[in-house]
């Protein structure tokens, strides 16, 4: 496993970027995608897509990386989609096996779209306590799926 990318994702998350930004930037910035763009593209995916508690941002960021990787493997646009879908399915199976779900509200045990739950999450630092493990896990699973 490429420890610098995992460590980079964790450092970005610790610096205040959301989980999607942390994963996508750690794996996509620098080559064809400038870091500023890599940080901005997934900015709405944190908290299970804009704090709606849906798909975990670390998972969404991983899906974006998978799509980028599939585009490098395949030339035919229809095959890019099929390749990405297969890798996403593998990713979801592995991540869910570790954590029981890919949904933010299930992973955290709180609904971030509910103001009372969100206030409690902030007061108890639930994100700071739980999400680094999800970022690390997403990075580890992503590296396995991509064969890095």
């Amino acid at each position: 496993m490429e420890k610098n990318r995992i460590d980079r994702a964790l450092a970005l998350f610790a610096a205040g970027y959301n989980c999607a930004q942390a994963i996508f930037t750690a794996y996509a910035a620098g080559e064809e995608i400038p870091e500023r763009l890599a940080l901005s593209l997934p900015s709405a995916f944190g908290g299970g897509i804009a704090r709606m508690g849906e798909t975990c941002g670390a998972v969404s960021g991983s899906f974006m990386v998978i799509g980028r990787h599939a585009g490098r493997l395949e030339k035919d646009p229809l095959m890019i989609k099929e390749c990405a879908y297969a890798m996403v399915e593998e990713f979801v199976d592995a991540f869910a096996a570790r954590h029981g779900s890919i949904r933010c509200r299930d992973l955290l045990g709180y609904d971030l779209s509910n103001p009372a739950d969100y206030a409690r999450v902030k007061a108890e630092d639930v994100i700071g306590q739980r999400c680094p493990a999800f970022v690390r896990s997403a990075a580890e699973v992503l590296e396995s799926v991509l064969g890095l």
Side-chain angles (χ1 to χ4, degrees):
M1 283 182 215
E2 176 66 49
K3 288 293 183 198
N4 357 344
R5 289 182 180 161
I6 293 170
D7 291 343
R8 175 95 168 110
L10 289 166
L12 286 164
F13 186 74
Y17 293 102
N18 73 39
C19 41
Q21 289 173 299
I23 291 290
F24 186 72
T25 302
Y27 287 87
E31 295 170 25
E32 302 103 31
I33 300 175
E35 184 165 301
R36 182 175 164 89
L37 180 59
L39 286 166
S40 67
L41 288 172
S43 61
F45 290 91
I49 306 171
R51 292 192 196 117
M52 291 189 293
E54 297 302 330
T55 303
C56 166
V59 171
S60 294
S62 296
F63 292 172
M64 293 174 73
V65 173
I66 287 170
R68 183 171 170 270
H69 186 76
R72 289 179 166 172
L73 296 176
E74 297 291 339
K75 301 296 180 218
D76 178 349
L78 293 176
M79 290 308 296
I80 292 170
K81 177 178 69 174
E82 294 306 318
C83 179
Y85 286 3
M87 286 190 284
V88 163
E89 185 177 342
E90 181 182 348
F91 179 95
V92 167
D93 289 347
F95 188 90
R98 289 182 182 200
H99 301 290
S101 181
I102 65 166
R103 291 182 71 212
C104 182
R105 85 172 48 113
D106 297 338
L107 296 168
L108 293 180
Y110 293 94
D111 180 356
L112 298 178
S113 67
N114 176 306
D117 275 5
Y118 184 66
R120 190 166 179 195
V121 164
K122 294 295 276 183
E124 296 176 10
D125 191 29
V126 173
I127 291 170
Q129 292 175 25
R130 305 219 49 211
C131 294
F134 303 133
V135 171
R136 175 180 294 282
S137 186
E140 291 171 351
V141 171
L142 182 60
E143 292 199 359
S144 174
V145 169
L146 298 181
L148 300 177

